[in-house]
Amino acid sequence: MMRKKLFYLLLLLPYFAFAQTPSTALLGTKTLYLPKQTKLTPVPNGYKAVYINFVGRHGARHLTKDIKLSYAYATISKADSLNELTQSGKDLKQIIINLGKEEENHVASISQSGANELKGIAERMFANQKNVFTIDNQVLVATTKKGRTKESAEAFLEGLKIKSAPLTQRVTFNYADDDHLRFYDFSKTYDEFKENGNWIAAYQKLARAKKLDDIANRFAVKFFKTAYLAKLNQTDKINFVEDVYGFYTILNAVTAEIKAVGLTIKDLNFKAYFTAADLDALNALGNAEDFLKKAPGLNNNGIQVRVAAPLLADFINTTDIYLKMKPVVADLRFAHAETIAPFAAIMGIHGAAEATNNILTFEQVWKAENVIPFSANIQWIFYYNPSNRNYLVKFLLNEKEVAINGLSTKTFPYYSYSTVREHYIKKLKSLNLGLQDNPHEYLLKLK
């Protein structure tokens, strides 16, 4: 019997290595999650962890729309129907079809890698704050209306269950907290900024510096014959190369699913069509767009940051409720990159809240892989000292202890919560949002 068990274990070892070893490739917001710090600063004497306020991005995911609805698929299929594909074009079309095979029935869902990311975060949270999670305590879980945030919550809870099975029996769910977690959906001013904001000129400056037009032209020539190329304008070519680059960046997130359908990296070798310089340039441009539209960008008090005020108010309100009544020991929220980036900025997290006046060097102040990789998360961990009845709070960004711009402490990374609360209420007041104001109405009126 022992020999039989060992035999099956040996068979499974390659799978576990395949599924559990995350790629360290830096792919902006498609970077697989790894904790940024493993050795944490000891808790001050007399204090113990009592409460956690958390918001996280969904785990590593599949594509968010059917591949047949993509610009790249439509373009290459049209050219094929006109016999206007080169041999490389025909090969690329097959690679896209292969990706579609892997993506079938998975679109917009988290992947196995994503589930593993969330489980790992939960397991480490439990290991580092064991006394927070007990049989008698409850947890509140909030998600957005998107299925991948619900899947992420379930994976996270599975990680907690591994360590504390009774805990997951005492969970309350809020499955559509979009006012706090998809705040960017409700502001017309923010929509206008995304479409016509001053970020566009900055992005175009970087695109010229990175020679995006040249990249798109050289890329298109590989796949389309002359007659069809003549029908494509510059925007068409840019859309095409960016789509194919997007297919490439998702591959690390879906390795288990690729293997499950019998495909190999050779069957999905999008990378072969890019030079290393192309990949670096496209990565930088994608990161810059996120930085400009969702993060500090050119103004760390711009609309793209201020739109996150309802979530900051929610963190204060839920903490106040804990301090008064202690109904739950953890408020756990699962959302999107568009949630985490502006929230980190409005909080003033050092390394995530600095704007730039030179887009050509923006990566000196903000890196997408550090702020909003898959499963990115922000944690407020509270510690209580019964002898002086004082609360301290520590802030983590992707499990790394971080400083807050404009706040000082003699016990870093631990801050006095009374000082933190005063600091953030002052900030909210400057943004014309009170703790008891309706967040939806605030977003509708935000200018």
Side-chain angles (χ1 to χ4, degrees):
M1 180 64 73
M2 181 60 71
R3 183 178 298 176
K4 187 175 182 180
K5 287 183 177 178
L6 180 60
F7 173 75
Y8 283 120
L9 180 60
L10 289 172
L11 285 177
L12 288 171
L13 281 177
Y15 168 76
F16 286 123
F18 186 84
Q20 295 182 351
T21 304
S23 168
T24 56
L26 301 182
L27 297 168
T29 64
K30 307 298 193 310
T31 302
L32 295 188
Y33 183 85
L34 286 171
K36 296 297 183 182
Q37 184 176 337
T38 53
K39 187 176 181 180
L40 300 174
T41 304
V43 180
N45 290 335
Y47 286 86
K48 68 174 184 178
V50 291
Y51 171 65
I52 298 170
N53 221 339
F54 171 99
V55 61
R57 183 189 180 193
H58 57 76
R61 59 161 174 78
H62 294 268
L63 296 172
T64 54
K65 65 179 180 181
D66 190 313
I67 205 162
K68 291 183 178 180
L69 299 177
S70 69
Y71 180 86
Y73 180 85
T75 302
I76 209 162
S77 296
K78 178 67 173 177
D80 192 25
S81 71
L82 298 172
N83 194 30
E84 286 292 328
L85 289 181
T86 65
Q87 184 57 50
S88 290
K90 294 175 182 178
D91 293 343
L92 177 61
K93 182 184 178 186
Q94 185 58 53
I95 292 174
I96 294 173
I97 290 170
N98 290 343
L99 182 59
K101 176 182 177 182
E102 177 278 318
E103 285 291 287
E104 189 173 0
N105 300 321
H106 293 308
V107 172
S109 294
I110 66 169
S111 64
Q112 183 60 55
S113 293
N116 289 341
E117 290 173 344
L118 272 300
K119 289 177 185 176
I121 294 168
E123 291 179 23
R124 289 186 293 274
M125 179 187 285
F126 182 92
N128 292 327
Q129 331 293 344
K130 288 181 182 177
N131 55 286
V132 170
F133 300 102
T134 65
I135 294 175
D136 296 327
N137 291 329
Q138 295 196 48
V139 168
L140 179 62
V141 173
T143 69
T144 74
K145 61 189 176 185
K146 296 294 183 179
R148 57 187 174 274
T149 64
K150 299 177 179 65
E151 293 166 351
S152 296
E154 291 163 0
F156 189 96
L157 292 174
E158 185 65 26
L160 286 182
K161 187 175 182 179
I162 290 171
K163 299 293 185 179
S164 177
L167 172 70
T168 53
Q169 306 305 312
R170 298 178 65 78
V171 179
T172 301
F173 292 92
N174 179 356
Y175 279 134
D177 190 10
D178 284 8
D179 283 341
H180 294 122
L181 299 178
R182 287 184 65 90
F183 40 76
Y184 45 88
D185 279 347
F186 303 115
S187 170
K188 288 185 178 180
T189 305
Y190 178 59
D191 287 341
E192 292 167 1
F193 169 80
K194 286 192 297 182
E195 293 298 320
N196 302 301
N198 63 345
W199 68 270
I200 296 173
Y203 178 84
Q204 290 173 339
K205 180 180 179 181
L206 184 63
R208 289 191 295 273
K210 296 295 182 180
K211 296 181 169 53
L212 178 58
D213 284 344
D214 290 347
I215 293 171
N217 290 336
R218 283 189 285 104
F219 196 75
V221 166
K222 297 176 184 179
F223 309 111
F224 305 110
K225 294 179 181 179
T226 305
Y228 196 80
L229 275 173
K231 298 177 182 179
L232 299 177
N233 62 35
Q234 197 60 38
T235 299
D236 293 329
K237 294 173 185 177
I238 290 172
N239 288 339
F240 184 76
V241 70
E242 289 181 343
D243 252 14
V244 177
Y245 174 73
F247 298 155
Y248 158 73
T249 62
I250 209 72
L251 297 182
N252 279 337
V254 297
T255 51
E257 291 81 359
I258 290 170
K259 188 175 182 181
V261 295
L263 295 171
T264 68
I265 193 61
K266 184 178 179 181
D267 301 312
L268 294 161
N269 195 10
F270 293 106
K271 187 176 182 180
Y273 299 110
F274 297 95
T275 67
D278 291 343
L279 293 175
D280 287 343
L282 291 167
N283 181 54
L285 288 166
N287 294 347
E289 186 170 357
D290 288 321
F291 173 67
L292 291 164
K293 291 166 63 175
K294 306 168 187 174
L298 304 175
N299 178 4
N300 63 5
N301 199 39
I303 183 66
Q304 81 285 0
V305 174
R306 289 183 282 116
V307 75
L311 182 55
L312 180 59
D314 188 52
F315 263 67
I316 300 296
N317 282 327
T318 49
T319 300
D320 285 351
I321 291 171
Y322 169 79
L323 296 179
K324 292 176 183 177
M325 298 181 288
K326 299 175 176 56
V328 299
V329 295
D331 281 278
L332 307 173
R333 306 166 185 80
F334 298 88
H336 307 272
E338 295 88 344
T339 311
I340 304 299
F343 186 54
I346 203 170
M347 278 181 58
I349 291 177
H350 186 68
E354 290 77 28
T356 188
N357 58 10
N358 183 2
I359 193 60
L360 300 183
T361 59
F362 81 97
E363 289 177 303
Q364 294 179 8
V365 297
W366 192 90
K367 294 182 181 295
E369 63 268 18
N370 290 342
V371 181
I372 47 172
F374 284 129
S375 294
N377 59 90
I378 293 171
Q379 303 181 39
W380 296 17
I381 303 177
F382 289 81
Y383 302 82
Y384 180 64
N385 187 332
S387 65
N388 61 16
R389 298 183 179 181
N390 187 47
Y391 286 92
L392 298 178
V393 59
K394 176 170 69 174
F395 303 99
L396 302 180
L397 172 61
N398 300 328
E399 300 179 73
K400 180 181 179 180
E401 297 166 341
V402 289
I404 303 298
N405 296 337
L407 271 176
S408 60
T409 178
K410 295 180 180 179
T411 55
F412 180 83
Y414 302 92
Y415 291 80
S416 167
Y417 180 62
S418 60
T419 302
V420 168
R421 186 178 188 277
E422 181 181 359
H423 174 77
Y424 283 140
I425 287 178
K426 183 178 180 180
K427 181 151 199 172
L428 289 169
K429 185 176 180 180
S430 73
L431 301 176
N432 298 313
L433 180 63
L435 292 181
Q436 304 310 314
D437 290 347
N438 184 304
H440 192 78
E441 291 296 321
Y442 169 83
L443 292 168
L444 293 178
K445 297 176 182 178
L446 183 62
K447 300 296 183 185

